Amino acid sequence: MDDGLSLVFAALADPTRRAILARLAEGPAPVTELGRPFDISAQAVSKHLKVLERAGLISRSRQGQWRPCRLEAAPLERAGGWIEQYRAVWEDSLGRLEQEIDRIQGRQDHADD
């Protein structure tokens, strides 16, 4: 699994990683802060960050002793674009379902008369 889109979706499949991204959407943060809300080891947090970094969803820099992590939006935009191209398909399916429900309910309304 080496294509970017697969890496992004694999990274997003984990709730801990999604929570880390949600925190980084507020602004850069050090690793210790990112791991604080979770009952997991620092090593586990580091593994989650590596998955996010490999998917291009975060970047890390060094500012003296501080190594902040930052959210990188471009991969999320690409994933959103991929999902968006299927919107017409599911909206059409939902539209047909709604029509069928209306048709069935109309039949039931007439049967009750």
Side-chain angles (χ1 to χ4, degrees):
M1 180 174 63
D2 59 356
D3 72 287
L5 197 55
S6 293
L7 291 172
V8 168
F9 283 121
L12 294 174
D14 184 89
T16 300
R17 291 192 287 266
R18 290 192 306 269
I20 290 170
L21 291 176
R23 167 51 193 88
L24 290 174
E26 299 170 9
V31 173
T32 53
E33 182 182 326
L34 293 173
R36 198 172 293 135
F38 310 106
D39 189 25
I40 58 177
S41 69
Q43 183 180 15
V45 172
S46 180
K47 285 182 180 182
H48 282 297
L49 294 175
K50 285 178 184 174
V51 170
L52 292 169
E53 194 170 24
R54 188 177 36 182
L57 292 165
I58 68 167
S59 62
R60 298 193 233 191
S61 62
R62 183 179 294 268
Q63 297 173 350
Q65 294 283 24
W66 194 49
R67 291 200 59 192
C69 295
R70 287 182 173 71
L71 178 66
E72 298 295 336
L76 291 172
E77 290 172 13
R78 285 192 297 275
W82 184 86
I83 291 169
E84 185 64 30
Q85 70 185 357
Y86 295 98
R87 178 182 294 278
V89 173
W90 78 68
E91 285 179 347
D92 182 53
S93 295
L94 290 174
R96 286 188 310 233
L97 177 61
E98 185 177 8
Q99 289 172 352
E100 184 63 15
I101 290 169
D102 289 345
R103 186 183 67 74
I104 292 169
Q105 287 177 338
R107 237 190 251 162
Q108 287 175 349
D109 290 344
H110 291 308
D112 292 340
D113 291 343

